[in-house]
Amino acid sequence: MDKNLLQLYAVTDRQWLREGQSLAEVVEAAIKGGATLVQLREKAMGDDEFVQEAFEVKKVTDAYGIPLIINDNLKVCQACDAAGVHVGQEDLCAEKARALLGPDKIIGVTAKTVEQAREAVRQGADYLGSGAMFGSSTKTEARPMTLEEFQTIRQAVSVPIVLIGGIDAENICELKGSGAQGAAVVSGIFARPDVEAAARKLKKLSLEVFP
């Protein structure tokens, strides 16, 4: 896959929607600000509702030519013909996802160790997500990963890697020289009062951090 797609990877979280806002509207704001890829993440939503939301968000991402990745749900990915899926270590394995989705879909896998990274690549992952770099506001149990720990993963595999975990405009520059291809950002975009402005600032910084 094109590694530049990972530069500013926006991961949705509806807990920060303000009254009257739809998720599709804030996704559009993030894209206008410079998001290069969008992951739709809904941990507490039934499949039917998730599919309906995915169609609404995909109308926006398609309009801007931005790939839509579905988090942890192959059924939703297939139903809306999203660009791909991202799976965690406790979710569907990448090998099965590849078998079901075929060769043309993007498959991302969370990898926090060298062993997980190598296995994900063996199973057909197009990119990896590693972290949590600065902890996580959405996963309070996530253990921070040092840049030294990440370097061992980076050196073990050749596929693109996106860093995730508490990344925002205040700390993204600490990731310069990491060897990653981009940052996956949740609250650093969607928890901000002006989503478009937050994304724009992060995009400008990401161009320097992940050249």
Side-chain angles (χ1 to χ4, degrees), residues 48-210:
D48 291 344
E49 190 179 2
F50 197 169
V51 167
Q52 183 178 349
E53 181 181 76
F55 273 111
E56 292 171 2
V57 171
K58 191 168 181 289
K59 286 178 186 176
V60 173
T61 56
D62 282 355
Y64 289 89
I66 298 295
L68 177 65
I69 302 295
I70 302 297
N71 181 255
D72 293 344
N73 196 312
L74 280 178
K75 179 180 176 182
V76 174
C77 178
Q78 291 173 309
C80 72
D81 193 27
V85 68
H86 187 94
V87 296
Q89 288 295 317
E90 294 79 37
D91 306 306
L92 184 75
C93 72
E95 195 166 38
K96 187 171 182 181
R98 176 63 70 202
L100 291 170
L101 294 179
D104 299 326
K105 294 297 186 185
I106 297 170
I107 294 177
V109 178
T110 299
K112 298 182 180 183
T113 67
V114 168
E115 292 73 24
Q116 290 176 355
R118 286 176 172 157
E119 180 61 15
V121 172
R122 186 194 70 77
Q123 292 188 19
D126 294 298
Y127 74 91
L128 304 177
S130 289
M133 301 312 298
F134 303 107
S136 172
S137 62
T138 57
K139 295 184 178 181
T140 54
E141 77 285 358
R143 184 182 71 83
M145 175 184 285
T146 66
L147 279 176
E148 289 74 22
E149 287 174 317
F150 171 68
Q151 289 294 340
T152 65
I153 295 173
R154 175 65 288 174
Q155 292 163 16
V157 296
S158 58
V159 299
I161 306 179
V162 61
L163 297 174
I164 191 166
I167 299 169
D168 57 27
E170 284 66 55
N171 59 31
I172 191 172
C173 290
E174 295 177 38
L175 304 175
K176 192 168 186 176
S178 65
Q181 279 61 58
V185 183
V186 192
S187 62
I189 294 175
F190 293 106
R192 298 301 188 262
D194 189 332
V195 168
E196 184 175 343
R200 183 171 290 112
K201 185 174 183 180
L202 276 161
K203 178 62 178 299
K204 182 179 179 181
L205 293 169
S206 72
L207 289 169
E208 301 170 14
V209 177
F210 309 110

